[in-house]
Amino acid sequence: MLSKDKRSIILSMVLGDGCIGIADNHYKGKTYPSGKITIKHGAKQQDYLNWKAEILSATVEREIKVHPTKSYVKALDKSYDQFQLSWSYKPLRSWKKLFYNNKIKRIPKILRFIRHDSFAAAVWLMDDGSCTKTSSINPLS
């Protein structure tokens, strides 16, 4: 079981570009359902993703590696080179149920479990931040 501090660090990375999903892990010919966190960034942010992998590795006490991948954007009919890290952990299945509703990440629910406000805000800003002012975005919706 993860401590509240470790959970906070992990959820801080989910706020922005992180995603909690369900994955099947295969071991010795059997399939075991598990939860999975995946974070993807473009090539220009590979160093940033490597930093996230170091933080996550230290947090979960297991080496998390960054791998190249491709992402497809259906609306643009384009594929992009990206880098991703992922971490499977069986209890993340319950996190998916708790923090997502109809495949939509519920930020207010995640924020209740954040114990490292400055770290979470910094990661969220680096993931999704902008220097432009707009009134059409409500980050808590």
Side-chain angles (χ1 to χ4, degrees):
M1 181 54 90
L2 295 171
S3 72
K4 291 179 181 180
D5 287 326
K6 288 181 179 185
R7 180 181 61 205
S8 174
I9 297 296
I10 295 164
L11 288 174
S12 295
M13 294 191 188
V14 171
L15 281 174
D17 291 334
C19 177
I20 301 173
I22 304 298
D24 288 331
N25 289 330
H26 304 283
Y27 182 70
K28 294 186 178 181
K30 293 187 177 183
T31 302
Y32 301 92
S34 184
K36 184 177 186 177
I37 289 181
T38 304
I39 304 172
K40 293 182 184 180
H41 286 294
K44 290 180 182 179
Q45 292 181 300
Q46 183 181 1
D47 288 341
Y48 174 50
L49 188 61
N50 288 336
W51 175 79
K52 284 183 172 182
E54 288 177 26
I55 298 287
L56 191 55
S57 293
T59 302
V60 302
E61 300 169 353
R62 178 180 157 203
E63 185 179 13
I64 307 296
K65 295 182 180 181
V66 172
H67 300 281
T69 189
K70 287 203 178 274
S71 288
Y72 177 73
V73 178
K74 187 176 180 179
L76 302 174
D77 192 30
K78 280 189 158 185
S79 290
Y80 294 92
D81 290 327
Q82 289 194 310
F83 290 88
Q84 83 171 21
L85 65 79
S86 61
W87 172 58
S88 294
Y89 182 58
K90 190 174 180 178
L92 292 176
R93 291 183 307 168
S94 62
W95 290 22
K96 172 76 173 182
K97 292 175 186 173
L98 178 63
F99 298 125
Y100 286 74
N101 187 10
N102 296 324
K103 299 182 182 180
I104 297 171
K105 189 185 321 179
R106 298 298 179 193
I107 301 299
K109 285 186 178 182
I110 294 173
L111 291 174
R112 291 183 203 136
F113 293 89
I114 299 295
R115 296 169 56 101
H116 304 85
D117 297 347
S118 297
F119 177 77
V123 171
W124 196 0
L125 179 64
M126 289 187 287
D127 282 358
D128 294 333
S130 173
C131 293
T132 60
K133 185 176 180 181
T134 180
S135 60
S136 63
I137 298 174
N138 181 355
L140 300 179
S141 62

